[in-house]
Amino acid sequence: RKEVEQDPGPFNVPEGATVAFNCTYSNSASQSFFWYRQDCRKEPKLLMSVYSSGNEDGRFTAQLNRASQYISLLIRDSKLSDSATYLCVVNADTNAGKSTFGDGTTLTVKP
Amino acid sequence: ETGVTQSPTHLIKTRGQQVTLRCSSQSGHNTVSWYQQALGQGPQFIFQYYREEENGRGNFPPRFSGLQFPNYSSELNVNALELDDSALYLCASSLDRGLISPLHFGNGTRLTVT
């Protein structure tokens, strides 16, 4: 079983739709969490950190559920420019230096 | 603020050869991590350097080695290249050893081994 698992998708949604991605992790000692966005053949870029109480950044909302060991990303009012692969990242103090990435969820927003 | 830069952007090598990839960290960052990303997969952790010392290593064989220099720039060396080493190699810098502050990636080196 992978340490961090994501539904690979693809998710194909129309503009304006709301879409949600989940990411589960296996290490209960995990302490920090992030969502990254990766465009085709480009490097990952930080989208947002995920805080214990949940956090919002414009159309994006991230939540953490420690009991069930998953994080989620909600995108409201999808834009064409949101089309990308979304990677969740989990850090644990027990994994010195290592950020563990999921394999990503691919989103395509269509007109 | 200068971001993370990597060189070269593309590289073609033959099986058995050796390669060196380079990375300059973002200004103010003292930690550099290297990742390998195969097509359709997430980045896989190779190793991390903090203040010129290795601070953690993933499941990669010893033919993957690295260095960090006093200015925090870094190199990734791969010996005896294999076909499966073909991938995007990403360097990321961070403010600390990665637990709290996020990673900032360079645009990667795409390595093809034939």
Side-chain angles (χ1 to χ4, degrees), chain B residues 27-103:
Chain B
S27 56
H29 288 184
N30 58 18
T31 304
V32 171
S33 304
W34 286 92
Y35 286 80
Q36 180 196 67
Q37 188 175 24
L39 204 59
Q41 296 182 17
Q44 299 296 309
F45 177 69
I46 303 175
F47 41 56
Q48 183 184 81
Y49 280 86
Y50 171 69
R51 294 187 175 178
E52 303 178 59
E53 293 194 359
E54 190 178 285
N55 180 55
R57 188 180 180 92
N59 294 325
F60 281 82
R63 60 189 183 84
F64 286 76
S65 63
L67 283 174
Q68 187 179 33
F69 299 100
N71 66 355
Y72 304 129
S73 66
S74 178
E75 286 183 355
L76 164 65
N77 300 290
V78 187
N79 294 323
L81 284 167
E82 300 178 359
L83 296 179
D84 284 350
D85 295 335
S86 296
L88 178 67
Y89 287 85
L90 294 160
C91 168
S93 71
S94 54
L95 278 172
D96 60 25
R97 281 167 279 185
L99 193 59
I100 301 299
S101 63
L103 300 172

Side-chain angles (χ1 to χ4, degrees), chain A residues 34-39 41-48 85-91 97-102, chain B residues 1-7 9 22-27 29 31-38 41-48 76 88-95 98 101-110:
Chain A
F34 304 92
W35 284 101
Y36 280 74
R37 169 198 170 121
Q38 186 171 28
D39 293 294
R41 301 181 73 82
K42 300 279 191 179
E43 75 276 17
K45 293 187 177 178
L46 178 68
L47 180 66
M48 58 196 302
T85 296
Y86 291 83
L87 299 161
C88 72
V89 182
V90 176
N91 294 343
K98 172 184 169 184
S99 290
T100 305
F101 284 75
Chain B
E1 183 179 84
T2 306
V4 179
T5 59
Q6 290 187 243
S7 63
T9 53
R22 296 181 173 83
C23 171
S24 294
S25 62
Q26 183 168 316
S27 56
H29 288 184
T31 304
V32 171
S33 304
W34 286 92
Y35 286 80
Q36 180 196 67
Q37 188 175 24
Q41 296 182 17
Q44 299 296 309
F45 177 69
I46 303 175
F47 41 56
Q48 183 184 81
L76 164 65
L88 178 67
Y89 287 85
L90 294 160
C91 168
S93 71
S94 54
L95 278 172
S101 63
L103 300 172
H104 297 261
F105 284 91
N107 53 15
T109 295
R110 193 164 297 278

Side-chain angles (χ1 to χ4, degrees), chain A residues 6-94:
Chain A
Q6 296 183 249
D7 181 346
F11 284 67
N12 297 308
V13 303
E15 268 188 295
T18 296
V19 62
F21 309 136
N22 280 341
C23 168
T24 59
Y25 59 93
S26 59
N27 187 346
S28 59
S30 298
Q31 294 179 270
S32 59
F33 309 88
F34 304 92
W35 284 101
Y36 280 74
R37 169 198 170 121
Q38 186 171 28
D39 293 294
C40 188
R41 301 181 73 82
K42 300 279 191 179
E43 75 276 17
K45 293 187 177 178
L46 178 68
L47 180 66
M48 58 196 302
S49 303
V50 185
Y51 301 124
S52 295
S53 55
N55 48 298
E56 191 173 303
D57 182 1
R59 298 181 293 109
F60 299 85
T61 301
Q63 295 203 314
L64 166 64
N65 185 319
R66 285 190 186 274
S68 301
Q69 295 185 198
Y70 75 84
I71 64 174
S72 64
L73 177 68
L74 181 76
I75 305 175
R76 290 182 299 277
D77 189 22
S78 299
K79 312 290 185 192
L80 296 177
S81 57
D82 294 334
S83 298
T85 296
Y86 291 83
L87 299 161
C88 72
V89 182
V90 176
N91 294 343
D93 193 29
T94 51

